[in-house]
Amino acid sequence: MTAPGVALSPQSFVEHALATSIADDCIVIVHDKTSANLRWANNTLTTNGVMHGVDVTVISFVRSADGVATGSMAGTATDQARVTALVEAADAAARSGSPAEDAAELVRDAVSPDWDDAPVPTDIHVYDAFAPALGEAFGRASAEDRVLYGFVNHEMTTTYVGSTTGLRLRHVQPTGHYGCTGKPTDLSTSAWVGGATRDFAGIDPLALDAELARRLGWATRRVDLPAGRYDTILPPSTVADLMIDAYWSAGARVAHEGQSVYSRRGGGTRVGERIASAGVNLYSDPAYDGLQCEPFAVASRSGNESSVFDNGLPLGRTDWIRDGELTSLIQTRQSAAMTGLPVTPGIDNLVLSVDSGSGTEDDLVAGTERGLLLTCLWYIREVDPQSLLLTGLTRDGVYLVEGGEITGVVNNFRFNDSPVDLLRRFTHASETVPSFSREWGDDYFSRTATPALRVPDFNMSSVSQAQ
Amino acid sequence: MANVSLQPAPDGPSTEELIGRVERGLYVVGDKSWSIDMQRFNFQFTGQRFYKIADGELVGQVRDAAYQATTTDFWNSMEAVGGPDTWVLGGAFNCGKAQPGQVAAVSHGCPTSLFRGVRILNTVAEGGN
């Protein structure tokens, strides 16, 4: 029995669960997560919050003559009694389960040197420099008849993975993002800026406001354009939006079974095929500077792209597309055996680079005779998995480019296009820079680096009246 | 995240009777790929299955279809709703909104309904292939 008020460490939850389980093997994953956020609207800070939670997942493995069955139970935990309940439920689920098709030897004896260290928290002081500067930005925006709306969030998640086979792995993951929308006081148009950060160092609200003012200045002339295919500059944020979908769809099993854009007609996968222009590289790397992420696999349940048996597998740089050729797909050990390809589990960051890419988004604008510059995309959904046709909308700034300059703001559009096809059709790319997917970055996938791309025939399927 | 349902007509037609009113059209079963703009004007959906209707009868399944409309135009194009026997409760456990993200279960019930003049897309053509 734990004495009231005694804080229990994540490591103690792990050891208690492993000692309590009566299954043949057990893996325990603990996420200790703290977060701090600020929200503002109409040039006023409206809310702030700090949260702390501990999530425990217990995975039990029971062997029989037919194979290995697993049971996985997850929940929040503040005391050992709750952990005990999760263990008992996971053990029972494994005992009643049928053999797992992804069964494999559990990873053994990998230990992080900092296993014994406490979780690393964040708190509201992460905004000690940001918040006063945000107040200054409010004052300047008000004086210039501009209103700001936005949200920032910073999280620290410390992950502990322990097992009866000797895993004792720990990882500390900082994650943060910022986004701000600006409007003139008549609310006639809007602009958006945003990005990802590990620590909010150097994130300057006054600079964000200045960029919003620049973009709102572009909107003094409004031009209505019809649906059609346009020469379109996709800034790094929108490229991140689209590439994340391309990455999430890159499961090897799904491709092998003929259900994705990476499926080869007649069977198998397209690994080894050229699917993008020469010089296009799409990869993940847990050590990528500024986008560092977990260097080992963590899976609380099995699915097409993850396996509980693979917990603890080491992760390294993985090229998904190299020089235009599809080189890898997201694998479990089971799907790797099925496809005859190397074991390349999913990784929590994504980088797109183009060998010929140079300059900035502004340079792409300067080189465009007539086209569109987007700001960000919204409500992106898959239309056709076999071509990876996506739909979605533009928002917060579609700008007309004429003679290498931005000459006005254009109505919003619904698009229908495929990110994989774009990698074959683009004509120009900027250098790769840290980016942030507005669509997926807040809650799912914030660690990206992408270039801006210019696509000569991006498909704007219809006009959206939304402003 | 509101739970909004479309009420069936108490003595409304069956699905077969609604199909029987269509000379040339599509019968859409299920939903997929929902996307709508931030002010809820422009939307595009696909379905689980699409069937071709000719002279009031189903004449086979079709593929690569999506439908696209402006919300108010779409609902103004609704000609009829089916009876209680056509009503189905759908929903999701993970409707997400807000910053920081929040998730809630939602449910929406609808009868089979007939809409006229909705824009249908060929998704292969949309992809330029």
Side-chain angles (χ1 to χ4, degrees):
Chain A
M1 179 67 79
T2 308
V6 175
L8 292 172
S9 69
Q11 297 94 328
S12 74
F13 285 157
V14 171
E15 302 302 343
H16 174 71
L18 296 178
T20 303
S21 173
I22 57 172
D24 293 313
D25 274 305
C26 184
I27 294 176
V28 185
I29 304 166
V30 179
H31 294 296
D32 183 295
K33 181 165 117 178
T34 55
S35 65
N37 64 68
L38 305 177
R39 185 201 320 272
W40 60 94
N42 207 22
N43 294 339
T44 302
L45 191 66
T46 54
T47 67
N48 61 70
V50 175
M51 294 182 280
H52 179 214
V54 179
D55 295 314
V56 177
T57 300
V58 179
I59 307 159
S60 299
F61 300 81
V62 172
R63 292 188 179 79
S64 70
D66 298 326
V68 185
T70 69
S72 177
M73 297 298 294
T76 58
T78 54
D79 57 32
Q80 288 189 344
R82 177 63 183 148
V83 175
T84 300
L86 290 171
V87 171
E88 290 172 350
D91 283 0
R95 280 195 301 274
S96 63
S98 50
E101 61 176 12
D102 56 331
E105 286 295 314
L106 297 182
V107 180
R108 293 187 167 276
D109 302 327
V111 178
S112 298
D114 58 358
W115 167 260
D116 290 327
D117 289 359
V120 179
T122 189
D123 60 33
I124 206 70
H125 293 293
V126 73
Y127 303 120
D128 276 353
F130 183 90
L134 182 62
E136 286 185 53
F138 291 159
R140 187 173 75 186
S142 294
E144 297 175 3
D145 296 325
R146 197 166 50 249
V147 285
L148 305 179
Y149 310 79
F151 180 74
V152 289
N153 189 52
H154 187 251
E155 297 176 3
M156 293 292 287
T157 302
T158 308
T159 299
Y160 298 83
V161 180
S163 76
T164 50
T165 57
L167 293 183
R168 295 293 185 276
L169 296 171
R170 176 181 180 273
H171 176 74
V172 179
Q173 184 65 64
T175 302
H177 60 83
Y178 55 93
C180 188
T181 302
K183 293 175 181 279
T185 49
D186 66 2
L187 308 182
S188 58
T189 189
S190 65
W192 177 86
V193 292
T197 174
R198 289 168 65 86
D199 53 15
F200 276 85
I203 306 303
D204 179 5
L206 289 161
L208 301 180
D209 176 57
E211 178 61 14
L212 290 170
R214 182 172 85 117
R215 288 172 172 267
L216 292 174
W218 293 341
T220 51
R221 174 182 175 230
R222 180 179 171 85
V223 180
D224 288 324
L225 290 180
R229 289 185 176 269
Y230 286 93
D231 196 349
T232 302
I233 298 164
L234 304 170
S237 165
T238 62
V239 173
D241 286 329
L242 298 169
M243 289 307 119
I244 289 169
D245 269 294
Y247 178 50
W248 281 342
S249 300
R253 178 173 182 163
V254 171
H256 184 73
E257 294 178 346
Q259 300 174 47
S260 85
V261 69
Y262 306 107
S263 302
R264 190 177 61 203
R265 285 186 183 275
T269 75
R270 297 175 68 188
V271 168
E273 252 185 62
R274 178 172 295 284
I275 65 168
S277 297
V280 169
N281 306 288
L282 185 70
Y283 61 96
S284 300
D285 182 354
Y288 190 91
D289 189 29
L291 305 180
Q292 294 92 336
C293 62
E294 279 170 342
F296 50 84
V298 179
S300 58
R301 60 187 174 84
S302 290
N304 285 330
E305 284 89 45
S306 63
S307 168
V308 292
F309 292 89
D310 293 347
N311 273 299
L313 283 181
L315 305 176
R317 171 171 168 149
T318 302
D319 292 337
W320 311 110
I321 298 173
R322 186 190 308 127
D323 195 20
E325 179 184 306
L326 183 66
T327 48
S328 307
L329 295 165
I330 300 172
Q331 300 275 10
T332 64
R333 282 180 290 177
Q334 181 205 14
S335 69
M338 184 185 295
T339 57
L341 295 166
V343 179
T344 47
I347 295 168
D348 196 20
N349 65 22
L350 188 65
V351 179
L352 177 70
S353 69
V354 178
D355 290 348
S356 60
S358 65
T360 66
E361 174 186 323
D362 288 348
D363 293 323
L364 294 190
V365 170
T368 300
E369 185 54 35
R370 190 170 195 277
L372 302 176
L373 169 66
L374 306 187
T375 298
C376 50
L377 302 176
W378 167 259
Y379 221 135
I380 302 169
R381 290 295 180 272
E382 180 186 272
V383 177
D384 178 1
Q386 291 191 317
S387 62
L388 198 57
L389 184 75
L390 303 177
T391 193
L393 299 121
T394 62
R395 70 174 294 181
D396 294 323
V398 179
Y399 303 104
L400 180 62
V401 181
E402 294 176 302
E405 294 184 350
I406 293 167
T407 58
V409 69
V410 176
N411 45 275
N412 281 308
F413 295 98
R414 169 173 295 288
F415 72 87
N416 278 312
D417 220 318
S418 164
V420 176
D421 213 33
L422 296 182
L423 293 179
R424 181 181 59 80
R425 287 160 37 215
F426 76 93
T427 54
H428 299 76
S430 73
E431 291 181 357
T432 292
V433 295
S435 59
F436 177 71
S437 162
R438 187 180 186 186
E439 176 76 347
W440 307 120
D442 273 22
D443 299 319
Y444 304 108
F445 201 101
S446 65
R447 282 173 277 280
T448 55
T450 46
L453 295 178
R454 179 177 160 193
V455 179
D457 53 358
F458 193 71
N459 179 21
M460 299 300 190
S461 176
S462 59
V463 170
S464 161
Q465 299 99 315
Q467 294 185 356
Chain B
M1 294 186 189
N3 294 317
V4 176
S5 291
L6 184 64
Q7 192 171 27
D11 300 313
S14 67
T15 298
E16 290 71 23
E17 288 168 332
L18 288 170
I19 290 170
R21 298 183 189 182
V22 178
E23 184 180 335
R24 179 173 176 271
L26 287 179
Y27 173 49
V28 185
V29 181
D31 65 89
K32 190 70 176 171
S33 188
W34 49 92
S35 172
I36 191 164
D37 70 42
M38 61 280 188
Q39 293 177 335
R40 302 319 194 223
F41 288 109
N42 179 305
F43 70 83
Q44 180 178 308
F45 280 67
T46 61
Q48 295 291 335
R49 300 190 305 278
F50 288 82
Y51 296 90
K52 185 177 178 182
I53 304 172
D55 297 326
E57 292 188 349
L58 299 183
V59 293
Q61 196 168 352
V62 297
R63 53 176 293 171
D64 303 326
Y67 58 104
Q68 193 183 82
T70 296
T71 301
T72 46
D73 293 345
F74 179 77
W75 288 105
N76 276 311
S77 75
M78 187 172 72
E79 181 181 288
V81 295
D85 288 348
T86 74
W87 197 84
V88 173
L89 182 66
F93 293 113
N94 57 346
C95 185
K97 296 283 184 298
Q99 294 172 307
Q102 301 170 41
V103 175
V106 294
S107 57
H108 304 286
C110 285
T112 304
S113 305
L114 174 58
F115 297 83
R116 297 290 189 183
V118 177
R119 183 187 183 201
I120 302 296
L121 303 177
N122 179 317
T123 58
V124 175
E126 284 293 302
N129 299 308

